[in-house]
Every structure is written in C-alpha cells, then in structure tokens.
Amino acid sequence: MRKSNALKLSLVSLGLATAFTASANIGGDVSKAVKESKVDVSLRYRVESVDQDGVQEEALASTLKSRITVTTGKVSNFSAKVEADNVTAIGNDSYNSTVNGVTDHAVVADPEGSEINQAYLQYSGDMFTATAGRQRIVLDDQRFVGGVAWRQNEQTYDGYRLQAKPVTGLTLDASYVYNVNRIFGEDSSKSDLHGDVILVNAKYAFNKKHSVTVYNYSLEFDNAASASSNTLGATYNGKFDLGGTGLAVKAGFANQEDAGDNTTSFEASYMVAEVMAKFKSFSIGGGYEVLGSDDGNVAFSTPLATLHKFQGFADKFLSTPADGIVDTYVKGATKLGPVGLSATYHIYESDEGSYDLGTEFNIAAGYKFNKQVSGLLKAASYSADDHATDTTKIWLMLSANF
C-alpha cells in the first residue's frame, strides 16, 4: 500500500514538475519573443500631376501614406504581424480619388482613409511556412498576382498560404484567398473582390542562372463574375555571360479560360519574350508582350496584377481592350553618379485587327539620400490613337523607413 501511494506521489510530482517546466519554457519563449519583436514605421509622401485630354480639370494630388508594422518574435516557430496604414491628402486634394466625388478632375486612385493592411499568424519551420490571415502575396514579377504597392493603399489578401522547399531548387507556393482588399479603400463599391481564389505556383531553379516557373491561377469571384477565369502557364528566366556582357532572357506563355459564374465562354492566350543586355555601366533591351483576344469579344485579363509595372506608367490599359493588346517596347537603365536613371518606349496595337492603340514614353530617376530616405522623380507621356486620350503624368516622391 505504501509502495502504491509512493508511486502515485511520484507520478503526481513528475506531472507537476513536467507542467512547471513546460510552463517555464513557454514563459521563457514568450518573454524572448517579446524582446525580439520589432516596430517599423514608414512614411511616403507623393505629389502626382495628371493632365488628360477629355477631362475638364487637371489633377494634382498631394498625399502622405503612414505605416506602422509590428512583428513579434517566435514562440515554437509561431509569429504574428499587424500592419496599419493611413493615407491623408496634404495641402492639395484637387483630384478624383474615385470616392471623393471630385469627378471633374482626372483620376489619382489614392483615396484617404485608414486600414489594417496586414494581420496574420505565421508558422515557419525547416520545410515549410504557413500563413493565415490578411497578408501580402507577391508572385514572380507580379504580372498575374501582386500587391499594387505603387498606389498609396496597397492590395492585400485574406486567406491561407503555404510555401515549401521540399528538395533543392524547387519552391512550391499555394494560396487559398477568400477576399482581395483592393486599392480603392473601404468606402468604394470596388473595395473588395470576394469568392474562391486558388493560386498555385511552382518554381524550379536548375542553377543560379536558369529557372522555370509553372503556375495555375483559379479566380472565381462572387461579386465580379465577368472577371472569373482560370489561367495555366509557364515562364523561363535565364542569364547568360557573353564575353563580359550579361544577357537576361525571359519567355513565357499562358492560356486563360472562363471559370466560375462567368456567363461568357472564352479562351485567350498570353505570351512574353524579353531580352536585356547588361554592360558595366548600363543595360538596354526590349520585349514583346501579348494579351490575346477571343475573336474581339473577350481578352486575356490580369485583375490581381500590379498593373502599373506593365504597359506603361500612364495606366491606360488597366483593363485589357476587348481586341487584346500587343506591347512592343525598348528600355534602358544607367546611373549618373548616385542617381539611377531608366527610360522605356512602348508601341501599342490591338491583337485582333492590329490597329494602333498609341505610344508611350516613360522616364524615372531615383536617388538614395541614406539608408532610410530615398527620392523618386517619374513621368509618363501617352499619345493616343484608337484608344483613350493623350495623357501626361508626373510624380515626385519621398520615402522614409525607420
């Protein structure tokens, strides 16, 4: 009897000791996570001018984006992030933000307001990373899925994401998204795209210079059925050394079909080919990108892309024309002392019928004052033909990160 009581007492003591040790370990992990947590603050002030034919008044937007980001340390490989943004018009708000009612001015899609930009829980292990909540999702060069971070109110995604590297060279990325928080702000009727969005992306790097990415993006929107589609494609990226000259090559193809509750049956293709030669002090090259059309009825679309990166800074093709678009471009970049310079010239035509959609010239100059502060001057001049109207845009921007 005494042995039985002693055994019970030993087991209870062992259980209490284990619980106390686990509690102490968790307490220690939490304490360590608090100490390793960090707070980041960023400010971005921008002046944007838009002169657009056919719009009564020019736009001049002076806006400040303020962001605070809190990232915790890890507890048993778990961490969390919360990021809040505020966009405020400073001094001059004579622009159409898409929600402020100033419809006689040109559009600058930077509405005022405050939002939770990101709020998620993340597990980071040796083999994979899992994220749940509101998050930033940027895939490849953002041609199909991006954050639209150029606008003051960033595009983020509500859902679940799994990233894994099961073997050397292979990266797998899969997300289920039930809501897309768009750039137009919570007061806009276009603030969200909700439904069932499945994003699957697999990249295999043969070595440091050559890789192939295969992707399938299924977009089924409840509140935008006409934008529902399924896209399957692949992209090759390669780098070659030609006697001291670096050559960067990109080639890709995709096929898109209607999906979900889209009432229009269609099939359209996408292709891109780009070559850039990189010399010691500058780079130069060009490309050819086609967003095809299904007999002029429906064109290939990329509603989740960071569209400002493609088809010109003037943003004249945020929606693909029904006849599709062919963008032939040349571009170059160099440095003049500490100033980075770049320029691009676009020639646009339709995929169906090959009629002119205009031309555009873009330039940009960036300067880094120090590790925290940088500046950017950028301009776009679009000359219309059979699409839209002549448009000139100029930006002056200062960014600071602390």
Side-chain angles (χ1 to χ4, degrees):
M1 190 69 176
R2 288 180 181 177
K3 289 183 179 180
S4 178
N5 289 337
L7 178 60
K8 289 179 180 179
L9 182 60
S10 298
L11 291 174
V12 169
S13 299
L14 179 60
L16 289 173
T18 302
F20 179 80
T21 302
S23 177
N25 289 338
I26 293 174
D29 288 345
V30 171
S31 177
K32 182 182 178 183
V34 171
K35 291 179 181 178
E36 293 177 349
S37 297
K38 62 177 183 175
V39 178
D40 296 306
V41 175
S42 67
L43 303 170
R44 187 167 76 179
Y45 173 71
R46 183 162 68 209
V47 176
E48 180 170 343
S49 169
V50 182
D51 182 1
Q52 181 177 335
D53 285 2
V55 179
Q56 184 177 342
E57 300 288 344
E58 297 180 17
L60 184 62
S62 170
T63 59
L64 174 68
K65 180 184 76 175
S66 306
R67 169 176 291 174
I68 183 167
T69 307
V70 179
T71 308
T72 71
K74 292 183 180 180
V75 177
S76 300
N77 290 331
F78 284 93
S79 62
K81 176 175 285 189
V82 177
E83 186 172 80
D85 287 357
N86 172 266
V87 180
T88 301
I90 297 178
N92 198 319
D93 59 355
S94 56
Y95 67 100
N96 180 2
S97 74
T98 71
V99 297
N100 62 358
V102 187
T103 55
D104 60 340
H105 286 63
V107 170
V108 176
D110 288 329
E112 293 187 272
S114 298
E115 287 190 9
I116 298 298
N117 197 52
Q118 295 192 90
Y120 63 75
L121 179 67
Q122 185 174 82
Y123 175 86
S124 298
D126 295 332
M127 292 291 294
F128 69 91
T129 298
T131 309
R134 180 167 296 183
Q135 57 195 284
R136 180 181 295 113
I137 299 179
V138 173
L139 298 179
D140 301 322
D141 62 357
Q142 305 187 56
R143 189 59 185 100
F144 297 96
V145 181
V148 200
W150 169 252
R151 298 263 52 107
Q152 297 286 54
N153 184 29
E154 187 180 8
Q155 177 171 281
T156 55
Y157 301 81
D158 297 336
Y160 311 93
R161 185 180 187 185
L162 182 65
Q163 298 163 276
K165 294 184 177 182
V167 296
T168 301
L170 180 62
T171 302
L172 303 177
D173 196 320
S175 299
Y176 170 73
V177 173
Y178 55 85
N179 189 68
V180 182
N181 306 284
R182 305 180 74 200
I183 66 171
F184 303 104
E186 295 180 347
D187 294 332
S188 173
S189 60
K190 302 186 293 182
S191 62
D192 299 278
L193 287 172
H194 46 77
D196 296 309
V197 175
I198 299 175
L199 311 171
V200 179
N201 184 291
K203 178 180 178 180
Y204 184 75
F206 298 94
N207 49 47
K208 292 182 179 181
K209 294 185 177 182
H210 302 277
S211 67
V212 171
T213 301
V214 179
Y215 53 85
N216 189 86
Y217 304 138
S218 174
L219 316 180
E220 296 187 12
F221 300 120
D222 297 335
N223 60 336
S226 62
S228 296
S229 65
N230 189 81
T231 302
L232 176 65
T235 305
Y236 163 77
N237 283 281
K239 294 181 180 179
F240 301 88
D241 187 4
L242 304 177
T245 300
L247 200 66
V249 175
K250 178 172 71 173
F253 180 83
N255 188 73
Q256 187 175 89
E257 298 179 344
D258 57 283
D261 294 327
N262 195 332
T263 58
T264 303
S265 178
F266 76 95
E267 183 175 0
S269 61
Y270 167 87
M271 67 166 291
V272 63
E274 181 180 286
V275 177
M276 292 294 298
K278 298 186 178 181
F279 300 92
K280 184 176 181 180
S281 59
F282 69 96
S283 63
I284 189 168
Y288 181 81
E289 184 185 52
V290 181
L291 278 72
S293 172
D294 188 340
D295 294 327
N297 298 314
V298 181
F300 195 103
S301 64
T302 58
L304 302 184
T306 297
L307 294 166
H308 186 75
K309 286 187 64 178
F310 306 92
Q311 299 172 349
F313 296 158
D315 292 335
K316 307 306 291 187
F317 301 96
L318 298 180
S319 296
T320 311
D323 284 329
I325 181 173
V326 178
D327 178 13
T328 304
Y329 56 91
V330 292
K331 60 182 180 179
T334 187
K335 292 197 74 174
L336 188 61
V339 180
L341 301 172
S342 65
T344 307
Y345 183 72
H346 298 265
I347 300 173
Y348 308 116
E349 64 178 10
S350 66
D351 178 50
E352 289 284 335
S354 299
Y355 56 84
D356 293 336
L357 296 178
T359 59
E360 182 171 337
F361 182 59
N362 299 157
I363 58 171
Y367 178 75
K368 199 171 184 65
F369 295 95
N370 51 46
K371 290 183 179 180
Q372 287 78 36
V373 182
S374 61
L376 177 68
L377 175 65
K378 193 160 82 166
S381 178
Y382 170 77
S383 298
D385 202 314
D386 294 324
H387 177 80
T389 57
D390 291 354
T391 302
T392 300
K393 296 187 178 184
I394 300 173
W395 299 268
L396 177 62
M397 189 167 76
L398 289 173
S399 302
N401 298 284
F402 306 97

